[in-house]
Amino acid sequence: MELRLSVAIDGPAGAGKSTIAKILAKRFNLMYINTGAMYRAVTLRAMEENIAPEDKERLLDLVDSLDMHFKNDDLILNNENISEQVCMPSISNNVSNYAAIPEVRERLVYLQQKMSEKYNVVMDGRDIGTVVLKDAPFKFYLTASAEERASRRYKEFCEKGIEVNYEELLEDIKRRDYIDSHREVNPLTKAEDAIEIDSSNLTIERVVDKMADYIISRTKL
Ligand code: DC
């Protein structure tokens, strides 16, 4: 019988989920599904077409017209690699409002579940362990203080040569934490059976090792 392996990683913005998920994906030969990028892709196209989150009919028509798949850790949207574009601050500042629309979530959750039926995945987001992959054998909840997360984001932008203000990033992270954990549908919460890891004082390698050790200890690989 083919071994089905799926790993769910949830947590607030900037906790290190995507960096860690990519490394785990390589280590265990899994497909990395960045669900935040999918919500960002919807935001990118909606903003390009001046569709407000409240304009549900047009928004849902737009979502239904999007073809999304992952290749080498990148999100390909209608044949275009949009991984860089969706990380811009203008998208980060608006994505929570689009991600709070129940019908948008319904559609993206459906796509994510289809992907997990087809491939062994490591998926990161906010509702993976609680909704999308409720039955995943491995669930992690990764956190870090808001200040630590803002300073990581700040460094990432600086390395890419994008000018940003630390205080604004911190405010944005706090605002997004609030919206993500207070929205009505699928708010950010730790699944009861998820292992919580606070990465504030841990290196990436250390977090990856903790997760990998846990997966190996419970899998006959
Ligand atoms: O992980 P990220 O910062 O790229 O996520 C972008 C936004 O999308 C974030 O504000 C919360 C939302 N999101 C969500 O609501 N559910 C997910 N599974 C993933 C992301």
Side-chain angles (χ1 to χ4, degrees):
M1 200 177 77
E2 197 200 341
L3 180 72
R4 297 299 297 169
L5 182 65
S6 52
V7 181
I9 306 180
D10 288 301
K17 299 184 299 291
S18 65
T19 308
I20 283 155
K22 281 181 198 167
I23 304 174
L24 280 181
K26 299 249 155 14
R27 211 179 268 192
F28 293 101
N29 197 21
L30 307 171
M31 179 177 279
Y32 169 48
I33 310 289
N34 177 347
T35 65
M38 296 171 74
Y39 289 96
R40 285 167 182 270
V42 169
T43 307
L44 173 75
R45 287 291 182 258
M47 287 174 68
E48 281 172 355
E49 298 187 19
N50 286 320
I51 303 175
E54 298 75 31
D55 191 351
K56 264 199 200 164
E57 204 178 311
R58 284 180 70 213
L59 181 61
L60 298 180
D61 280 349
L62 171 78
V63 176
D64 289 338
S65 75
L66 301 177
D67 174 63
M68 298 192 206
H69 66 271
F70 285 85
K71 196 175 170 195
N72 303 328
D73 299 339
D74 286 331
L75 175 58
I76 311 297
L77 176 66
N78 297 348
N79 288 324
E80 190 188 346
N81 185 340
I82 50 147
S83 297
E84 288 285 317
Q85 284 177 65
V86 295
C87 290
M88 296 305 287
S90 60
I91 304 299
S92 303
N93 290 340
N94 287 286
V95 61
S96 284
N97 300 321
Y98 290 93
I101 309 289
E103 294 87 346
V104 170
R105 303 200 67 80
E106 205 176 282
R107 283 159 169 80
L108 294 192
V109 166
Y110 175 79
L111 289 178
Q112 292 153 10
Q113 289 174 333
K114 284 278 157 221
M115 291 174 186
S116 79
E117 283 167 17
K118 211 164 161 193
Y119 306 101
N120 286 335
V121 298
V122 51
M123 199 177 272
D124 75 347
R126 305 294 189 285
D127 56 349
I128 312 304
T130 49
V131 177
V132 183
L133 302 179
K134 246 195 198 143
D135 298 325
F138 303 106
K139 296 183 184 178
F140 298 99
Y141 190 80
L142 192 62
T143 60
S145 69
E147 288 71 18
E148 174 62 25
R149 290 183 280 130
S151 100
R152 289 177 189 171
R153 279 274 146 100
Y154 181 76
K155 278 184 209 148
E156 273 170 29
F157 280 120
C158 289
E159 279 161 18
K160 286 182 188 163
I162 301 171
E163 216 173 288
V164 280
N165 175 297
Y166 169 82
E167 293 303 328
E168 280 175 19
L169 280 180
L170 181 59
E171 276 318 300
D172 176 49
I173 283 210
K174 287 184 178 169
R175 193 180 54 82
R176 280 211 280 155
D177 282 357
Y178 186 86
I179 302 180
D180 291 345
S181 49
H182 286 80
R183 67 168 170 244
E184 275 181 31
V185 184
N186 307 351
L188 169 65
T189 44
K190 175 183 160 314
E192 271 180 21
D193 51 348
I195 308 280
E196 182 162 349
I197 301 176
D198 184 337
S199 73
S200 302
N201 297 308
L202 295 176
T203 61
I204 289 165
E205 292 73 25
R206 190 74 198 93
V207 177
V208 171
D209 285 345
K210 269 178 181 263
M211 290 183 177
D213 289 349
Y214 180 80
I215 293 171
I216 290 166
S217 72
R218 276 153 204 261
T219 317
K220 293 191 184 83
L221 288 175

